[in-house]
C-alpha cells in the first residue's frame, strides 16, 4: 500500500489527529532561520526576534517589577542576556519558550541584587526607609483598582510569587527553584498576595 | 469549624490541596456560613481575573535602539545604558520625596528659557553649553548645601558604621552625577541626559532628606 493512502486511512479512521497547521510550521521555520542568523551575529535577525517577543517579555517584567521604568530596564536586560546566551539555544523548543524563564531569572536577579545593595550600604540601620517608595507594603482599598495597579503595590516577594503562580502558571516547586525560597514560603507568599489583593480590589 | 480556621484553609481548598477530612470540614462550614462563602467567591474571582490578564503589553517606547546600543555601541557616543545601570544603585536608595525648587527649576527654565541668575556661585557644569542646565545646577548646589549643612551638624551623633554608610551612599550618587555631567559635556543639549541630570539631582536631594529623617531618629 502506498504511503500516501496509508496516511489518509490513518487520518480518517483514527479520529482527530494532531496535524501541525501550515501557519505554525511556517512560523517555526521562520523563527529557526532568524535564530540561526542571529547566532551568526546578525543583529537584523535578532531585532526581528525582539519584535516578535518584546510584548510578552515586557508584560512579564512589568508585573514582576511593579514599576514601569524598571520594567523597561529589565526588558532591555533580558534581550541583552538572550543575545549573550543565544549560542546555547538548540532550537528544541520555540524561542519564546526558551526566553521566558530567562526573563523571569533576569527580573528576579535584579530584585535580589537590589536587596543586597541595600543591605551592604546600610548594615546597621532601618532599611525600610530606603526601600523603593513604589513598593509600599500594604495596598489601600480603592474602588475599581486595576489588578496590575494593585499588583504594583504588593511587597516584592508576594508580587513575584503571585505573578509566577497565578498569571504565568508556575508551580511552587518551580518558583522555589527560581527564587531561592522554600516551596512552603512560596505558598505562604501566594496566600498573602491573594489576601492583600482581595482587600485592595474590594469595592 | 470556626470562620478563622475555615478562612485559613480557603486557599488550599481552592487549590485542591486539602485532605479528605479537611475538605469535608470546610465544605460543612461553607454550607452554613454566608460570609465564608462570599470570601470563597472573592478568591475565585481573583484567581480567574489573574489567569485572564493580557499576557502581552506594549512598552511605552521602542526599546530596540537602547538594546542595540548595548550590543554594539556606536563610536564616539557614551553608552547611555551604562549610566542608567550605574544610576540604578542610587535609585535603590533614594525614594520619592517632596519636589524641590532645583528640580522644578530645571523643568520650568527649560520650557521658558529664563536667564542665568547673576551673583550665583560658579556652577559645576559651567562648561555645559546649556544655560538651563547651569541655572539648575546653581539651584541644586544651594539646596544640597543647606541639606548637607544640616546633615553635617548631626554627624557627631552617628556611629562610625553609620557615618561610613552615609558617606558611601553620597559618594555613589556623586559619582553618578559626575558621569552624567561628563556625558552631557560630550553631548550637550542631549535631552535624555538633561532629564537624567535632573532626575539624579532629585535623587540626591531625596537621599539627603531620607538621611536627615533617619539620623533624626537615632
Amino acid at each position: 500500500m502506498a504511503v500516501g493512502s496509508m496516511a489518509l486511512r490513518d487520518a480518517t479512521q483514527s479520529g482527530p489527529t494532531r496535524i501541525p497547521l501550515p501557519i505554525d510550521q511556517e512560523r517555526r521555520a521562520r523563527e529557526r532561520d532568524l535564530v540561526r542568523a542571529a547566532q551568526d551575529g546578525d543583529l537584523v535577525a535578532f531585532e526581528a526576534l525582539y519584535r516578535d517577543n518584546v510584548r510578552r517579555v515586557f508584560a512579564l517584567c512589568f508585573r514582576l517589577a511593579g514599576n514601569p521604568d524598571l520594567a523597561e530596564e529589565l526588558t532591555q536586560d533580558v534581550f541583552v542576556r538572550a543575545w549573550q546566551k543565544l549560542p546555547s539555544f538548540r532550537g528544541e523548543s520555540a524561542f519564546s519558550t526558551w526566553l521566558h524563564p530567562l526573563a523571569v531569572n533576569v527580573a528576579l536577579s535584579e530584585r535580589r541584587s537590589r536587596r543586597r545593595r541595600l543591605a551592604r550600604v546600610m548594615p546597621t540601620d532601618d532599611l525600610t526607609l530606603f526601600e523603593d517608595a513604589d513598593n509600599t507594603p500594604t495596598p489601600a482599598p480603592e474602588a475599581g483598582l486595576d489588578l496590575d495597579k494593585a499588583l504594583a503595590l504588593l511587597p516584592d516577594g508576594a508580587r513575584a510569587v503571585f505573578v509566577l503562580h497565578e498569571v504565568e502558571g508556575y508551580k511552587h516547586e518551580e518558583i522555589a527553584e527560581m527564587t531561592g525560597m522554600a516551596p512552603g514560603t512560596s505558598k505562604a507568599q501566594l496566600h498573602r498576595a491573594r489576601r492583600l489583593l482581595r482587600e485592595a480590589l474590594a469595592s | 469549624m470556626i470562620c478563622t480556621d475555615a478562612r485559613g484553609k480557603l486557599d488550599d481548598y481552592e487549590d485542591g490541596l486539602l485532605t479528605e477530612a479537611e475538605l469535608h470540614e470546610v465544605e460543612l462550614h461553607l454550607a452554613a456560613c454566608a460570609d465564608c462563602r462570599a470570601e470563597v467567591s472573592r478568591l475565585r474571582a481573583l484567581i480567574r481575573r489573574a489567569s485572564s490578564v493580557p499576557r502581552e503589553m506594549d512598552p511605552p517606547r521602542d526599546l530596540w535602539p537602547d538594546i542595540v546600543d548595548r550590543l554594539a555601541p556606536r563610536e564616539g557616543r557614551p553608552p547611555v545604558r551604562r549610566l542608567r545601570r550605574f544610576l540604578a544603585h542610587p535609585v535603590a536608595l533614594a525614594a520619592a520625596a517632596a519636589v524641590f525648587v532645583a528640580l522644578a527649576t530645571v523643568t520650568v527654565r527649560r520650557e521658558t528659557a529664563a536667564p542665568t541668575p547673576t551673583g550665583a556661585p560658579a556652577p559645576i557644569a559651567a562648561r555645559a553649553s546649556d544655560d538651563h542646565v547651569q541655572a539648575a545646577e546653581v539651584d541644586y548646589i544651594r539646596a544640597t548645601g543647606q541639606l548637607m549643612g544640616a546633615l553635617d551638624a548631626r554627624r557627631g551623633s552617628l556611629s562610625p558604621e553609620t557615618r561610613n554608610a552615609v558617606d558611601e551612599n553620597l559618594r555613589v550618587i556623586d559619582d553618578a552625577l559626575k558621569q552624567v555631567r561628563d556625558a552631557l559635556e560630550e553631548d550637550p543639549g542631549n535631552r535624555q541626559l538633561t532629564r537624567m541630570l535632573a532626575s539624579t539631582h532629585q535623587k540626591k536631594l531625596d537621599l539627603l532628606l531620607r538621611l536627615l529623617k533617619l539620623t533624626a531618629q537615632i
Side-chain angles (χ1 to χ4, degrees):
Chain A
M1 192 181 291
V3 170
S5 54
M6 274 178 71
L8 182 60
R9 191 182 66 162
D10 285 343
T12 56
Q13 291 182 0
S14 59
T17 309
R18 245 192 104 156
I19 302 169
L21 295 171
I23 193 168
D24 287 337
Q25 287 174 324
E26 204 176 298
R27 191 181 295 144
R28 288 295 296 272
R30 173 181 170 273
E31 188 180 87
R32 267 197 306 270
D33 290 343
L34 286 174
V35 168
R36 266 194 224 112
Q39 283 172 330
D40 285 339
D42 186 342
L43 272 175
V44 172
F46 190 64
E47 181 183 357
L49 290 169
Y50 159 81
R51 302 257 172 235
D52 287 347
N53 290 277
V54 64
R55 296 177 78 241
R56 182 81 178 86
V57 169
F58 181 76
L60 175 65
C61 291
F62 178 78
R63 292 196 174 106
L64 286 175
N67 174 316
D69 289 338
L70 185 54
E72 282 190 32
E73 298 290 338
L74 291 175
T75 303
Q76 292 184 38
D77 289 348
V78 168
F79 284 97
V80 170
R81 180 82 63 86
W83 174 259
Q84 291 164 348
K85 288 188 164 298
L86 212 45
S88 69
F89 177 59
R90 300 269 178 266
E92 288 149 353
S93 65
F95 181 73
S96 57
T97 307
W98 175 81
L99 191 62
H100 195 266
L102 188 150
V104 171
N105 191 261
V106 165
L108 296 181
S109 295
E110 157 62 24
R111 188 171 77 89
R112 282 193 291 269
S113 57
R114 187 154 37 102
R115 290 176 75 85
R116 277 198 296 271
R117 280 198 298 270
L118 276 172
R120 196 167 57 238
V121 298
M122 297 299 294
T124 60
D125 297 290
D126 181 8
L127 296 181
T128 59
L129 289 177
F130 290 83
E131 279 178 8
D132 188 336
D134 286 340
N135 293 324
T136 49
T138 47
E142 192 177 315
L145 187 64
D146 177 76
L147 179 59
D148 281 331
K149 285 197 178 85
L151 272 174
L153 297 173
L154 289 182
D156 286 354
R159 181 175 63 249
V161 173
F162 185 87
V163 168
L164 292 173
H165 190 275
E166 305 290 43
V167 178
E168 301 295 333
Y170 287 100
K171 296 185 176 53
H172 288 297
E173 291 71 23
E174 292 168 315
I175 294 169
E177 210 175 301
M178 287 189 282
T179 59
M181 63 174 80
T185 307
S186 173
K187 207 171 132 186
Q189 289 281 29
L190 177 65
H191 296 179
R192 183 182 178 211
R194 283 172 171 175
R195 179 177 53 78
L196 290 172
L197 285 169
R198 287 203 303 282
E199 287 168 15
L201 295 168
S203 57
Chain B
M1 178 179 262
I2 60 172
C3 286
T4 319
D5 292 339
R7 301 249 173 134
K9 292 190 189 306
L10 288 185
D11 289 287
D12 284 342
Y13 172 68
E14 273 308 301
D15 295 338
L17 297 174
L18 296 180
T19 63
E20 282 289 330
E22 287 170 330
L23 181 63
H24 181 67
E25 256 191 307
V26 168
E27 285 184 338
L28 267 178
H29 178 83
L30 290 176
C33 180
D35 284 346
C36 286
R37 281 201 304 276
E39 196 59 28
V40 169
S41 294
R42 280 193 287 272
L43 177 57
R44 281 183 186 156
L46 173 65
I47 293 171
R48 258 196 320 269
R49 203 164 159 178
S51 66
S52 59
V53 291
R55 292 290 191 282
E56 296 189 347
M57 260 185 216
D58 285 314
R61 61 184 180 91
D62 185 9
L63 302 175
W64 179 251
D66 282 350
I67 292 171
V68 81
D69 208 38
R70 289 170 67 181
L71 301 182
R74 281 165 289 173
E75 286 189 20
R77 297 205 57 169
V80 174
R81 178 62 184 82
R82 203 173 295 150
L83 283 170
R84 280 215 195 97
R85 173 67 82 189
F86 195 88
L87 292 171
H89 185 178
V91 167
L93 306 173
V99 174
F100 277 85
V101 171
L103 178 64
T105 306
V106 170
T107 311
V108 170
R109 286 191 181 183
R110 192 140 186 90
E111 302 299 326
T112 61
T116 307
T118 55
I124 291 168
R127 286 166 291 172
S129 63
D130 192 340
D131 287 345
H132 307 134
V133 172
Q134 291 185 40
E137 285 275 7
V138 168
D139 291 329
Y140 160 77
I141 291 166
R142 227 177 258 140
T144 50
Q146 287 171 353
L147 292 172
M148 286 295 299
L151 190 61
D152 284 342
R154 293 188 192 165
R155 272 182 178 277
S157 62
L158 304 177
S159 68
E161 237 175 14
T162 304
R163 275 204 294 273
N164 289 340
V166 166
D167 289 341
E168 170 67 11
N169 276 271
L170 291 172
R171 187 195 63 74
V172 166
I173 204 159
D174 284 339
D175 284 349
L177 273 169
K178 182 178 182 315
Q179 282 214 1
V180 177
R181 288 181 187 126
D182 288 346
L184 202 49
E185 198 174 306
E186 286 179 37
D187 192 4
N190 181 313
R191 290 179 69 88
Q192 197 175 9
L193 288 172
T194 305
R195 276 198 296 274
M196 205 177 283
L197 181 67
S199 167
T200 315
H201 281 168
Q202 164 110 46
K203 285 178 173 61
K204 177 151 183 192
L205 293 167
D206 291 348
L207 178 62
L208 287 170
L209 254 193
R210 289 276 171 172
L211 289 171
L212 279 169
K213 186 179 169 185
L214 174 69
T215 53
Q217 293 173 358
I218 293 172

